[in-house]
Coordinates of all heavy atoms in Angstrom, one line a residue:
M242 N 53.8 147.9 115.0 CA 53.0 147.4 113.9 C 51.6 147.9 114.2 O 51.1 147.9 115.3 CB 53.0 145.8 114.0 CG 52.1 145.2 112.9 SD 52.0 143.4 112.9 CE 53.7 142.9 112.8
T243 N 51.0 148.4 113.1 CA 49.7 149.0 113.3 C 48.6 147.9 113.5 O 48.8 146.7 113.2 CB 49.2 149.7 112.0 OG1 49.2 148.8 110.9 CG2 50.3 150.8 111.7
D244 N 47.5 148.2 114.1 CA 46.4 147.2 114.3 C 45.9 146.6 113.0 O 45.7 145.5 112.9 CB 45.2 147.9 115.0 CG 45.5 148.2 116.5 OD1 46.4 147.6 117.0 OD2 44.8 149.0 117.0
W245 N 45.9 147.5 111.9 CA 45.4 147.0 110.6 C 46.4 146.0 110.1 O 46.1 144.9 109.6 CB 45.4 148.2 109.6 CG 44.5 147.9 108.4 CD1 43.2 148.0 108.3 CD2 45.0 147.4 107.2 NE1 42.8 147.6 107.1 CE2 43.9 147.3 106.3 CE3 46.3 147.1 106.6 CZ2 44.0 146.9 105.0 CZ3 46.3 146.7 105.4 CH2 45.2 146.6 104.6
N246 N 47.7 146.3 110.3 CA 48.7 145.4 109.8 C 48.7 144.0 110.6 O 48.8 143.0 110.0 CB 50.2 146.0 109.9 CG 51.2 145.3 109.2 OD1 51.1 144.1 108.9 ND2 52.3 145.9 109.0
R247 N 48.5 144.1 111.9 CA 48.5 142.9 112.7 C 47.3 142.0 112.3 O 47.4 140.9 112.2 CB 48.3 143.3 114.2 CG 48.5 142.2 115.1 CD 48.4 142.6 116.6 NE 48.3 143.9 117.0 CZ 49.3 144.9 117.1 NH1 50.5 144.6 116.9 NH2 49.0 146.1 117.4
G248 N 46.2 142.7 112.0 CA 44.9 142.0 111.6 C 45.1 141.3 110.3 O 44.8 140.1 110.1
W249 N 45.9 142.0 109.3 CA 46.1 141.4 108.0 C 47.0 140.1 108.2 O 46.8 139.1 107.6 CB 46.9 142.5 107.2 CG 47.5 141.9 106.0 CD1 48.8 141.4 105.9 CD2 46.9 141.8 104.7 NE1 49.0 141.1 104.6 CE2 47.9 141.2 103.8 CE3 45.7 142.1 104.2 CZ2 47.7 141.0 102.5 CZ3 45.4 141.8 102.8 CH2 46.4 141.3 102.0
T250 N 48.1 140.3 109.0 CA 49.0 139.2 109.2 C 48.4 138.0 109.8 O 48.6 136.8 109.5 CB 50.2 139.7 110.1 OG1 50.8 140.8 109.4 CG2 51.2 138.6 110.2
E251 N 47.5 138.2 110.8 CA 46.8 137.1 111.5 C 45.9 136.4 110.6 O 45.7 135.2 110.7 CB 46.1 137.7 112.7 CG 46.9 138.2 113.9 CD 46.3 138.9 114.9 OE1 45.0 139.1 114.8 OE2 46.9 139.3 115.9
R252 N 45.2 137.1 109.6 CA 44.3 136.4 108.8 C 44.8 136.0 107.4 O 44.2 135.4 106.6 CB 43.1 137.4 108.5 CG 42.3 137.7 109.7 CD 41.3 138.7 109.5 NE 40.5 139.1 110.6 CZ 40.9 140.0 111.5 NH1 42.0 140.7 111.3 NH2 40.2 140.3 112.5
M253 N 46.1 136.3 107.2 CA 46.8 135.9 105.9 C 46.8 134.5 105.6 O 47.1 133.7 106.5 CB 48.2 136.6 105.9 CG 48.8 136.6 104.5 SD 50.5 137.2 104.5 CE 50.1 139.0 104.8
A254 N 46.5 134.1 104.4 CA 46.5 132.7 104.1 C 48.0 132.3 103.9 O 48.9 133.1 103.9 CB 45.8 132.6 102.7
P255 N 48.2 131.0 103.8 CA 49.6 130.5 103.6 C 50.2 131.3 102.4 O 49.6 131.6 101.5 CB 49.4 129.0 103.3 CG 48.1 128.7 104.0 CD 47.2 129.9 103.8
D256 N 51.5 131.3 102.5 CA 52.3 132.1 101.5 C 52.1 131.6 100.1 O 52.1 132.4 99.1 CB 53.8 131.9 101.7 CG 54.3 132.7 102.9 OD1 53.4 133.6 103.5 OD2 55.4 132.5 103.4
R257 N 51.7 130.3 99.8 CA 51.6 129.8 98.5 C 50.2 130.1 97.9 O 49.9 129.9 96.7 CB 51.8 128.4 98.4 CG 50.9 127.5 99.2 CD 51.3 126.1 99.2 NE 50.5 125.3 100.0 CZ 50.4 125.2 101.3 NH1 51.3 126.0 102.0 NH2 49.6 124.5 102.0
E258 N 49.2 130.5 98.8 CA 47.9 130.8 98.4 C 47.8 132.0 97.5 O 48.4 133.1 97.9 CB 46.9 130.9 99.5 CG 46.7 129.5 100.3 CD 46.1 128.5 99.4 OE1 45.2 128.8 98.7 OE2 46.6 127.4 99.5
P259 N 47.0 132.1 96.4 CA 46.9 133.3 95.6 C 46.2 134.5 96.4 O 45.3 134.3 97.1 CB 46.1 132.9 94.4 CG 45.4 131.7 94.8 CD 46.2 131.0 95.9
F260 N 46.8 135.6 96.1 CA 46.2 136.9 96.7 C 45.6 137.7 95.5 O 44.5 138.2 95.6 CB 47.3 137.7 97.4 CG 46.7 139.1 97.8 CD1 46.0 139.2 99.0 CD2 47.0 140.2 97.1 CE1 45.5 140.4 99.3 CE2 46.5 141.4 97.4 CZ 45.7 141.5 98.6
L261 N 46.3 137.7 94.4 CA 45.8 138.5 93.2 C 46.3 137.6 91.9 O 47.4 137.3 91.8 CB 46.4 139.9 93.2 CG 46.2 140.7 91.9 CD1 44.7 141.2 92.0 CD2 47.2 141.9 91.9
I262 N 45.3 137.4 91.1 CA 45.6 136.7 89.9 C 45.0 137.5 88.7 O 43.9 137.9 88.7 CB 44.9 135.3 89.8 CG1 45.4 134.5 91.0 CG2 45.2 134.6 88.5 CD1 44.7 133.1 91.1
T263 N 46.0 137.8 87.7 CA 45.5 138.5 86.5 C 45.9 137.6 85.3 O 46.5 136.5 85.5 CB 46.2 139.9 86.3 OG1 47.6 139.7 86.1 CG2 46.0 140.7 87.6
D264 N 45.7 138.0 84.1 CA 46.1 137.2 82.9 C 47.6 137.1 82.8 O 48.1 136.3 82.1 CB 45.5 137.8 81.7 CG 45.8 139.3 81.4 OD1 46.2 140.0 82.4 OD2 45.7 139.8 80.3
R265 N 48.4 138.0 83.5 CA 49.8 138.0 83.3 C 50.6 137.8 84.7 O 51.8 137.7 84.6 CB 50.3 139.2 82.6 CG 50.0 140.5 83.4 CD 50.5 141.7 82.6 NE 50.2 142.9 83.4 CZ 51.0 143.4 84.3 NH1 52.0 142.8 84.7 NH2 50.6 144.5 85.0
T266 N 49.9 137.8 85.8 CA 50.6 137.8 87.1 C 49.8 137.0 88.1 O 48.6 137.0 88.1 CB 50.7 139.2 87.6 OG1 51.4 140.0 86.6 CG2 51.5 139.3 88.9
R267 N 50.5 136.3 89.0 CA 49.9 135.7 90.1 C 50.7 136.1 91.3 O 51.9 135.8 91.4 CB 50.0 134.2 89.9 CG 49.3 133.4 91.1 CD 49.5 131.9 90.8 NE 48.8 131.1 91.8 CZ 49.4 130.6 92.9 NH1 50.7 130.9 93.1 NH2 48.8 129.9 93.7
L268 N 50.1 136.8 92.2 CA 50.7 137.2 93.5 C 50.2 136.4 94.6 O 49.0 136.2 94.8 CB 50.4 138.7 93.8 CG 51.0 139.8 93.0 CD1 50.6 141.1 93.5 CD2 52.5 139.7 93.0
T269 N 51.1 135.9 95.5 CA 50.7 135.1 96.6 C 50.7 136.0 97.9 O 51.2 137.2 97.8 CB 51.6 133.9 96.9 OG1 52.8 134.4 97.3 CG2 51.7 133.0 95.7
H270 N 50.1 135.6 98.9 CA 50.3 136.4 100.1 C 51.7 136.6 100.5 O 52.1 137.6 101.1 CB 49.5 135.7 101.3 CG 48.0 135.9 101.2 ND1 47.2 135.1 100.4 CD2 47.2 136.8 101.7 CE1 46.0 135.5 100.5 NE2 45.9 136.5 101.3
G271 N 52.6 135.6 100.3 CA 54.0 135.7 100.5 C 54.6 136.8 99.7 O 55.5 137.5 100.1
D272 N 54.2 136.9 98.4 CA 54.7 137.9 97.6 C 54.3 139.3 98.1 O 55.2 140.3 98.1 CB 54.1 137.9 96.2 CG 54.5 136.6 95.4 OD1 55.7 136.1 95.6 OD2 53.6 136.1 94.5
V273 N 53.1 139.5 98.6 CA 52.7 140.8 99.3 C 53.5 141.0 100.5 O 54.0 142.1 100.7 CB 51.2 140.7 99.5 CG1 50.8 141.9 100.3 CG2 50.4 140.6 98.2
R274 N 53.8 140.0 101.3 CA 54.5 140.2 102.5 C 56.0 140.7 102.2 O 56.5 141.5 102.8 CB 54.6 138.9 103.3 CG 55.3 139.1 104.7 CD 55.5 137.8 105.5 NE 54.2 137.3 105.8 CZ 53.8 136.0 105.4 NH1 54.5 135.2 104.7 NH2 52.6 135.6 105.8
L275 N 56.6 140.1 101.1 CA 57.9 140.4 100.7 C 57.9 142.0 100.2 O 58.8 142.7 100.5 CB 58.4 139.5 99.6 CG 58.9 138.2 100.0 CD1 59.2 137.3 98.8 CD2 60.1 138.2 101.0
A276 N 56.9 142.3 99.4 CA 56.8 143.7 99.0 C 56.6 144.6 100.2 O 57.3 145.7 100.2 CB 55.6 143.8 98.0
V277 N 55.8 144.3 101.1 CA 55.7 145.1 102.3 C 57.1 145.3 103.0 O 57.5 146.5 103.3 CB 54.7 144.5 103.3 CG1 54.8 145.2 104.7 CG2 53.3 144.6 102.8
G278 N 57.8 144.3 103.2 CA 59.1 144.4 103.8 C 60.1 145.3 103.0 O 60.8 146.1 103.6
R279 N 60.1 145.0 101.7 CA 61.0 145.9 100.9 C 60.6 147.3 100.9 O 61.4 148.2 101.0 CB 61.0 145.3 99.4 CG 61.8 144.0 99.2 CD 62.0 143.7 97.8 NE 60.8 143.7 97.0 CZ 60.0 142.7 96.8 NH1 60.3 141.5 97.2 NH2 58.9 142.8 96.1
I280 N 59.4 147.6 100.7 CA 58.9 149.0 100.6 C 59.1 149.6 101.9 O 59.6 150.8 102.0 CB 57.4 149.0 100.2 CG1 57.3 148.6 98.7 CG2 56.8 150.4 100.4 CD1 55.9 148.4 98.2
G281 N 58.7 149.0 103.0 CA 58.9 149.5 104.4 C 60.4 149.9 104.7 O 60.7 150.9 105.2
A282 N 61.3 149.0 104.4 CA 62.7 149.1 104.5 C 63.2 150.3 103.7 O 64.0 151.2 104.2 CB 63.5 147.9 104.2
W283 N 62.8 150.4 102.4 CA 63.2 151.5 101.6 C 62.7 152.9 102.1 O 63.4 153.8 102.2 CB 62.7 151.3 100.2 CG 63.2 152.3 99.2 CD1 64.4 152.5 98.7 CD2 62.4 153.5 98.7 NE1 64.4 153.6 97.8 CE2 63.2 154.2 97.9 CE3 61.1 153.9 99.0 CZ2 62.8 155.3 97.2 CZ3 60.7 155.1 98.3 CH2 61.6 155.8 97.5
L284 N 61.4 152.9 102.6 CA 60.9 154.2 103.1 C 61.6 154.6 104.4 O 61.9 155.8 104.6 CB 59.4 154.0 103.4 CG 58.5 153.9 102.1 CD1 57.1 153.5 102.5 CD2 58.5 155.2 101.3
D285 N 61.9 153.6 105.2 CA 62.7 153.9 106.4 C 64.0 154.5 106.1 O 64.5 155.5 106.7 CB 62.8 152.6 107.3 CG 61.6 152.2 108.0 OD1 60.7 153.0 108.2 OD2 61.6 151.0 108.5
A286 N 64.7 153.8 105.1 CA 66.1 154.2 104.7 C 66.1 155.6 104.1 O 67.0 156.4 104.2 CB 66.7 153.3 103.7
M287 N 64.9 156.0 103.5 CA 64.8 157.3 102.9 C 64.5 158.4 103.9 O 64.3 159.6 103.6 CB 63.8 157.3 101.7 CG 64.2 156.4 100.6 SD 65.7 156.8 99.8 CE 65.5 158.4 99.2
G288 N 64.2 158.0 105.1 CA 63.8 158.9 106.2 C 62.4 159.4 106.2 O 62.0 160.3 106.8
V289 N 61.5 158.6 105.5 CA 60.1 158.9 105.5 C 59.5 158.6 106.9 O 59.7 157.5 107.4 CB 59.3 158.2 104.4 CG1 57.9 158.5 104.4 CG2 60.0 158.5 103.1
R290 N 58.7 159.5 107.4 CA 58.1 159.3 108.7 C 56.6 158.8 108.4 O 56.0 159.2 107.4 CB 58.1 160.5 109.5 CG 59.5 161.0 109.9 CD 59.5 162.2 110.8 NE 58.8 163.4 110.2 CZ 59.2 164.2 109.3 NH1 60.4 164.1 108.9 NH2 58.5 165.2 108.9
P291 N 56.0 158.0 109.3 CA 54.7 157.5 109.1 C 53.6 158.5 108.8 O 52.8 158.2 108.1 CB 54.4 156.7 110.4 CG 55.8 156.3 110.9 CD 56.6 157.4 110.5
A292 N 53.7 159.7 109.3 CA 52.7 160.7 109.1 C 52.9 161.4 107.7 O 51.9 162.0 107.2 CB 52.8 161.8 110.2
Q293 N 54.0 161.2 107.0 CA 54.2 161.8 105.7 C 53.5 161.0 104.6 O 53.5 159.8 104.7 CB 55.7 161.8 105.4 CG 56.4 162.8 106.2 CD 57.9 162.8 105.8 OE1 58.6 161.8 106.1 NE2 58.4 163.9 105.2
P294 N 52.9 161.6 103.7 CA 52.2 160.9 102.6 C 53.2 160.3 101.7 O 54.2 160.9 101.4 CB 51.3 161.9 101.9 CG 51.9 163.2 102.2 CD 52.6 163.1 103.6
V295 N 52.9 159.1 101.2 CA 53.7 158.5 100.1 C 52.9 158.4 98.9 O 51.7 157.8 98.9 CB 54.1 157.1 100.6 CG1 54.9 156.4 99.4 CG2 55.0 157.1 101.8
V296 N 53.3 159.1 97.8 CA 52.5 159.2 96.6 C 52.9 158.1 95.7 O 54.0 157.7 95.5 CB 52.7 160.5 95.9 CG1 52.1 160.7 94.7 CG2 52.3 161.7 96.9
G297 N 51.9 157.5 95.1 CA 52.1 156.5 94.0 C 51.3 156.8 92.8 O 50.1 157.2 92.9
I298 N 51.9 156.6 91.6 CA 51.2 156.8 90.4 C 51.7 155.8 89.4 O 52.9 155.6 89.1 CB 51.4 158.2 89.8 CG1 50.6 158.5 88.6 CG2 52.9 158.5 89.6 CD1 50.5 160.0 88.2
T299 N 50.7 155.0 88.9 CA 51.0 153.9 87.9 C 49.7 153.5 87.3 O 48.7 153.5 87.9 CB 51.7 152.8 88.5 OG1 51.9 151.8 87.4 CG2 51.0 152.0 89.6
S300 N 49.8 153.2 86.0 CA 48.5 152.7 85.3 C 48.5 151.1 85.4 O 47.5 150.5 85.0 CB 48.5 153.1 83.9 OG 49.7 152.6 83.2
D301 N 49.5 150.5 86.0 CA 49.6 149.0 86.2 C 48.9 148.6 87.5 O 49.4 148.9 88.5 CB 51.0 148.6 86.2 CG 51.2 147.1 86.3 OD1 50.3 146.4 86.8 OD2 52.2 146.6 85.7
P302 N 47.7 148.0 87.4 CA 47.0 147.6 88.6 C 47.7 146.7 89.5 O 47.6 146.8 90.8 CB 45.7 147.0 88.1 CG 46.0 146.6 86.7 CD 47.1 147.5 86.1
V303 N 48.6 145.8 89.0 CA 49.3 144.9 89.9 C 50.4 145.7 90.7 O 50.6 145.5 91.8 CB 50.0 143.8 89.0 CG1 51.0 142.9 89.9 CG2 49.0 142.9 88.4
E304 N 51.1 146.6 90.0 CA 52.1 147.4 90.7 C 51.4 148.3 91.7 O 51.9 148.6 92.8 CB 52.9 148.2 89.7 CG 53.8 147.4 88.9 CD 54.7 146.5 89.8 OE1 55.3 146.9 90.8 OE2 54.8 145.2 89.4
M305 N 50.2 148.9 91.4 CA 49.5 149.8 92.3 C 49.1 148.9 93.5 O 49.1 149.3 94.7 CB 48.2 150.3 91.7 CG 47.6 151.3 92.6 SD 48.6 152.7 93.2 CE 48.4 153.9 91.9
T306 N 48.7 147.6 93.3 CA 48.3 146.8 94.5 C 49.6 146.6 95.3 O 49.5 146.7 96.6 CB 47.8 145.4 93.9 OG1 46.7 145.6 93.2 CG2 47.5 144.5 95.1
R307 N 50.7 146.2 94.7 CA 51.9 146.0 95.5 C 52.3 147.2 96.4 O 52.6 147.2 97.5 CB 53.1 145.6 94.6 CG 53.1 144.1 94.3 CD 54.5 143.9 93.6 NE 54.5 142.6 93.1 CZ 54.6 142.3 91.7 NH1 54.9 143.3 90.9 NH2 54.6 141.1 91.3
L308 N 52.3 148.3 95.6 CA 52.7 149.6 96.2 C 51.8 150.0 97.3 O 52.2 150.4 98.4 CB 52.8 150.7 95.1 CG 53.2 152.0 95.6 CD1 54.7 152.0 96.2 CD2 53.2 153.0 94.4
S309 N 50.5 150.0 97.1 CA 49.6 150.6 98.0 C 49.5 149.7 99.3 O 49.6 150.2 100.4 CB 48.2 150.7 97.5 OG 47.7 149.4 97.0
L310 N 49.5 148.4 99.1 CA 49.5 147.5 100.3 C 50.9 147.6 101.0 O 50.9 147.5 102.2 CB 49.2 146.0 99.8 CG 47.8 145.7 99.5 CD1 47.7 144.3 98.9 CD2 46.9 145.9 100.7
G311 N 51.9 147.6 100.2 CA 53.3 147.7 100.8 C 53.4 148.9 101.7 O 53.9 148.9 102.8
V312 N 52.9 150.1 101.2 CA 53.0 151.3 101.9 C 52.1 151.3 103.2 O 52.5 151.6 104.3 CB 52.7 152.5 101.0 CG1 52.5 153.8 101.8 CG2 53.7 152.7 99.9
V313 N 50.9 150.9 103.0 CA 49.9 150.9 104.1 C 50.3 149.9 105.2 O 50.3 150.2 106.4 CB 48.5 150.7 103.6 CG1 47.5 150.4 104.8 CG2 48.1 151.8 102.8
L314 N 50.7 148.7 104.8 CA 51.0 147.7 105.7 C 52.4 147.9 106.4 O 52.6 147.4 107.5 CB 51.0 146.3 105.1 CG 49.6 145.8 104.7 CD1 49.7 144.5 103.9 CD2 48.7 145.6 105.9
A315 N 53.2 148.7 105.8 CA 54.4 149.1 106.5 C 54.2 150.2 107.5 O 55.1 150.7 108.1 CB 55.5 149.5 105.4
G316 N 53.0 150.8 107.5 CA 52.6 151.8 108.5 C 52.6 153.2 108.0 O 52.7 154.2 108.8
Y317 N 52.7 153.4 106.7 CA 52.8 154.7 106.1 C 51.4 155.1 105.5 O 50.5 154.3 105.3 CB 53.8 154.8 105.1 CG 55.2 154.6 105.6 CD1 55.8 153.3 105.6 CD2 55.9 155.7 106.1 CE1 57.0 153.1 106.2 CE2 57.2 155.4 106.7 CZ 57.7 154.2 106.7 OH 59.0 153.9 107.2
C318 N 51.3 156.4 105.2 CA 50.1 157.0 104.5 C 50.2 156.9 103.0 O 51.2 157.5 102.6 CB 49.8 158.3 105.0 SG 48.5 159.2 104.2
F319 N 49.4 156.2 102.3 CA 49.5 156.2 100.9 C 48.5 157.0 100.1 O 47.3 157.1 100.5 CB 49.2 154.7 100.4 CG 49.4 154.5 98.9 CD1 50.7 154.7 98.4 CD2 48.4 154.1 98.2 CE1 50.9 154.5 97.0 CE2 48.5 154.0 96.8 CZ 49.8 154.2 96.2
V320 N 49.0 157.8 99.1 CA 48.1 158.6 98.4 C 48.3 158.2 96.9 O 49.3 158.5 96.3 CB 48.5 160.1 98.5 CG1 47.6 161.0 97.6 CG2 48.5 160.6 99.9
P321 N 47.2 157.5 96.4 CA 47.3 157.1 95.0 C 46.9 158.3 94.1 O 46.0 159.0 94.4 CB 46.3 156.0 94.8 CG 45.3 156.4 95.9 CD 46.1 157.0 97.0
L322 N 47.6 158.5 92.9 CA 47.3 159.5 92.0 C 46.9 158.9 90.7 O 47.3 157.8 90.3 CB 48.5 160.4 91.8 CG 49.0 161.2 93.0 CD1 50.2 162.1 92.6 CD2 47.9 162.1 93.5
N323 N 46.0 159.6 89.9 CA 45.5 159.1 88.7 C 46.5 159.4 87.6 O 46.9 160.5 87.3 CB 44.2 159.9 88.3 CG 43.5 159.4 87.1 OD1 44.1 158.6 86.3 ND2 42.4 159.9 86.9
P324 N 47.0 158.3 86.9 CA 48.0 158.5 85.9 C 47.5 159.2 84.7 O 48.2 159.6 83.8 CB 48.4 157.0 85.5 CG 47.3 156.2 86.0 CD 46.7 156.8 87.1
C325 N 46.1 159.4 84.5 CA 45.5 160.0 83.5 C 45.4 161.6 83.8 O 45.0 162.3 82.9 CB 44.1 159.5 83.1 SG 44.3 157.8 82.6
A326 N 45.7 162.0 85.0 CA 45.6 163.4 85.4 C 46.6 164.2 84.6 O 47.7 163.7 84.2 CB 45.8 163.5 86.9
T327 N 46.3 165.5 84.4 CA 47.2 166.3 83.7 C 48.3 166.8 84.7 O 48.1 166.6 85.9 CB 46.5 167.6 83.2 OG1 46.0 168.3 84.3 CG2 45.4 167.2 82.2
A328 N 49.4 167.3 84.1 CA 50.4 167.8 85.0 C 49.9 168.9 85.9 O 50.3 169.0 87.1 CB 51.6 168.4 84.1
S329 N 49.0 169.8 85.4 CA 48.4 170.8 86.2 C 47.6 170.3 87.4 O 47.7 170.7 88.5 CB 47.6 171.7 85.4 OG 46.9 172.6 86.1
E330 N 46.8 169.2 87.1 CA 46.0 168.6 88.1 C 46.9 167.9 89.2 O 46.7 168.0 90.4 CB 45.1 167.5 87.5 CG 44.0 168.1 86.7 CD 43.2 167.1 85.8 OE1 43.8 166.0 85.5 OE2 42.1 167.3 85.6
L331 N 48.0 167.2 88.7 CA 48.9 166.6 89.7 C 49.6 167.6 90.5 O 49.8 167.4 91.7 CB 49.9 165.7 88.9 CG 49.3 164.5 88.2 CD1 50.4 163.8 87.4 CD2 48.7 163.5 89.3
A332 N 50.0 168.7 89.9 CA 50.7 169.8 90.7 C 49.8 170.3 91.7 O 50.3 170.6 92.9 CB 51.2 170.9 89.7
G333 N 48.5 170.5 91.4 CA 47.6 171.0 92.4 C 47.4 170.1 93.6 O 47.3 170.5 94.7
I334 N 47.3 168.8 93.3 CA 47.1 167.8 94.3 C 48.4 167.7 95.2 O 48.3 167.8 96.5 CB 46.9 166.4 93.7 CG1 45.5 166.4 93.0 CG2 47.0 165.3 94.8 CD1 45.3 165.1 92.2
L335 N 49.6 167.7 94.6 CA 50.8 167.6 95.3 C 51.0 168.9 96.2 O 51.6 168.8 97.3 CB 52.0 167.4 94.4 CG 52.0 166.1 93.7 CD1 53.1 166.0 92.6 CD2 52.1 164.9 94.7
S336 N 50.6 170.0 95.7 CA 50.8 171.2 96.5 C 49.9 171.3 97.8 O 50.3 172.0 98.7 CB 50.4 172.5 95.6 OG 49.1 172.6 95.4
R337 N 48.8 170.5 97.7 CA 47.9 170.4 98.9 C 48.4 169.4 100.0 O 47.8 169.3 101.1 CB 46.5 170.2 98.5 CG 45.9 171.4 97.8 CD 44.4 171.3 97.5 NE 44.1 170.2 96.6 CZ 44.0 170.3 95.3 NH1 44.4 171.5 94.7 NH2 43.7 169.3 94.6
L338 N 49.3 168.5 99.6 CA 49.7 167.5 100.6 C 50.6 168.1 101.6 O 51.5 168.9 101.3 CB 50.5 166.4 99.8 CG 49.6 165.5 98.9 CD1 50.5 164.5 98.2 CD2 48.5 164.7 99.7
D339 N 50.4 167.7 102.8 CA 51.3 168.1 103.9 C 52.3 167.0 104.1 O 52.2 166.0 104.7 CB 50.5 168.2 105.2 CG 51.3 168.6 106.4 OD1 52.5 169.1 106.2 OD2 50.9 168.5 107.6
T340 N 53.5 167.3 103.5 CA 54.6 166.4 103.5 C 55.4 166.4 104.8 O 56.2 165.5 105.0 CB 55.5 166.6 102.3 OG1 56.1 167.9 102.4 CG2 54.8 166.5 101.0
G341 N 55.3 167.4 105.6 CA 56.1 167.5 106.8 C 57.5 167.9 106.6 O 58.3 167.8 107.5
V342 N 57.8 168.2 105.4 CA 59.2 168.6 105.0 C 59.4 170.1 105.0 O 58.6 170.9 104.7 CB 59.6 168.0 103.6 CG1 61.0 168.5 103.2 CG2 59.4 166.6 103.6

């Protein structure tokens, strides 16, 4: 477990306490903890190593929150991409990432 992850867990409010509230969603700290576990298990199963970047792209701020926190708290490197970027811009960014593959 990374130091950042350990600090997050130690300071985390009870599972029922809200972490993120929008007009359509309410995430608790427990929801975030579940997302971290699912995302971490999936990345492990896919053979992703902690030094490899994990790219995320979505215009949904709730999903970006789940994804980014899940990836980082599971101990991986997260690279958010702008969903408004052109295909050419995204290709340029992806070509510069060191995926270790």
Side-chain angles (χ1 to χ4, degrees):
M242 184 184 301
T243 64
D244 288 339
W245 198 86
N246 192 341
R247 187 175 5 271
W249 167 269
T250 302
E251 290 169 359
R252 292 176 184 87
M253 192 179 289
D256 288 348
R257 66 185 176 282
E258 294 297 317
F260 174 79
L261 174 73
I262 299 173
T263 71
D264 58 340
R265 64 180 180 83
T266 303
R267 180 181 185 269
L268 290 180
T269 66
H270 284 83
D272 296 329
V273 174
R274 186 183 299 118
L275 288 173
V277 169
R279 284 192 308 265
I280 291 169
W283 184 79
L284 292 171
D285 287 343
M287 298 303 297
V289 177
R290 294 182 308 278
Q293 289 178 293
V295 175
V296 175
I298 185 168
T299 178
S300 60
D301 183 329
V303 174
E304 291 309 314
M305 184 58 86
T306 299
R307 275 192 193 119
L308 181 60
S309 61
L310 285 173
V312 171
V313 169
L314 291 173
Y317 296 91
C318 173
F319 183 66
V320 179
L322 296 180
N323 183 350
C325 296
T327 66
S329 170
E330 291 168 332
L331 293 173
I334 293 166
L335 294 173
S336 71
R337 291 189 295 274
L338 289 177
D339 180 12
T340 61
V342 177

